[in-house]
Amino acid sequence: MTPSPARRLWAAVEPLHAVVYFAPETAAAAKEAGLRGYWMGYFAGRLAPLGPVGPVPATAVLFGFAPAMVARALPDAWAFASPDDVLGSRLAAVETALERVVGTEHGELAELLERAVAACRFDGRPLAAAWSAVPRPAGVLGRLWLAATVLREHRGDGHVLAAVHTGLTGLETTLTHIGDGVLGRGDVQPHRGWTEDDWTSAAERLRARGLLDPQGRLTAEGTAVRTRLEEDTDRLASAPVEALGAELDRVLELAVPLSRAVVDAGVVPVPNPMGVPRP
């Protein structure tokens, strides 16, 4: 199937956002800020615009992580570094990482992505709303990354809304993603904190609904549910694309080479837990 415009935008821009999860600069910045370990840095860094959020709302917002995994990082992270300090160090680090890989002359792309962000609505999208309220950085790369991040979380929040509407939990949604062959279990389970019992129980529930076969693959009904979920995700992410109009092609022209560069440089691995391919 031909990808929708919303999906094409996501695939082109997601690696630029995802630099923050893999670049050594961000890991070093989290450590320097006082955070302990990769996952404390991940949860504190991703949620910092929401303030010193605790594990229960954090788990709800993030949707796909095991509650126990989130609780190992929050609220302890905020005893080591404030949300403002985490956010500031993270923005500075990702600017450095992007400059190292793609250079600095990307003002046109930053402006176009900011135009797309301006079209977003944030009803029921707490993470995207929080990132949209972060003050615009002075530098072009900071602006580019922040705009890419708002678009990413806007789409991600919409994906959560669509999944909840289908009656799926976060883990069940992950299993349907694996069941359609996009990701392998080993690409996801170690990074989400779910136990073997959690995984088995979720698979049994999906089999009882007729969505998975005994091998963990999507059934015809499971494929239909997954298709609806992805279509709804694209529909809920359509406002930025509609705002860009014909300039979507220019965004893709500018963003795809940069995203390829961060993948080819090994900064963002493929496959990855987000399921984003090399553009």
Side-chain angles (χ1 to χ4, degrees):
M1 295 177 62
T2 301
S4 70
R7 190 165 298 269
R8 293 174 66 205
L9 177 63
W10 167 76
V13 174
E14 174 76 359
L16 300 177
H17 161 78
V19 166
V20 74
Y21 304 130
F22 303 104
E25 289 89 345
T26 54
K31 183 177 180 180
E32 186 174 347
L35 301 175
R36 299 185 176 183
Y38 174 84
W39 286 109
M40 183 176 281
Y42 172 91
F43 290 122
R46 192 170 172 201
L47 296 165
L50 286 167
V53 64
V56 174
T59 300
V61 167
L62 296 173
F63 191 60
F65 288 88
M69 184 177 183
V70 180
R72 285 194 292 270
L74 302 175
D76 290 357
W78 312 124
F80 299 115
S82 71
D84 285 344
D85 287 345
V86 171
L87 181 59
S89 66
R90 199 168 179 83
L91 285 168
V94 80
E95 287 187 55
T96 301
L98 283 171
E99 183 174 359
R100 171 170 60 85
V101 180
V102 302
T104 60
E105 301 300 319
H106 306 296
E108 182 184 359
L109 179 58
E111 291 177 4
L112 288 168
L113 294 183
E114 287 169 344
R115 188 179 308 170
V117 166
C120 292
R121 290 182 55 183
F122 301 108
D123 315 63
R125 303 185 203 230
L127 199 49
W131 278 102
S132 75
V134 172
R136 191 175 84 163
V140 167
L141 290 177
R143 290 170 49 206
L144 188 156
W145 183 82
L146 180 59
T149 296
V150 176
L151 290 172
R152 192 266 189 172
E153 300 296 9
H154 178 268
R155 180 183 178 87
D157 283 345
H159 185 66
V160 171
L161 292 171
V164 171
H165 181 67
T166 67
L168 296 172
T169 67
L171 177 53
E172 290 167 357
T173 302
T174 298
L175 285 170
T176 66
H177 204 32
I178 291 169
D180 69 6
V182 174
L183 292 173
R185 179 173 176 172
D187 298 324
V188 180
Q189 188 175 5
H191 308 288
R192 295 293 181 263
W194 300 103
T195 67
E196 290 295 320
D197 286 345
D198 294 331
W199 203 272
T200 299
S201 295
E204 288 174 350
R205 292 193 299 271
L206 291 175
R207 285 195 290 271
R209 287 182 61 180
L211 304 184
L212 288 185
D213 68 16
Q215 288 73 45
R217 298 174 302 221
L218 291 178
T219 62
E221 178 58 24
T223 298
V225 168
R226 186 74 206 185
T227 299
R228 288 196 300 272
L229 172 56
E230 294 299 333
E231 289 174 345
D232 285 345
T233 299
D234 286 348
R235 176 177 56 80
L236 291 169
S238 63
V241 174
E242 292 169 359
L244 287 170
E247 289 186 301
L248 174 62
D249 287 340
R250 181 58 176 164
V251 170
L252 300 179
E253 180 184 352
L254 294 170
V256 166
L258 303 188
S259 288
R260 285 178 179 164
V262 300
V263 170
D264 292 346
V267 178
V268 175
V270 174
N272 51 68
M274 299 90 65
V276 62
R278 181 182 184 273

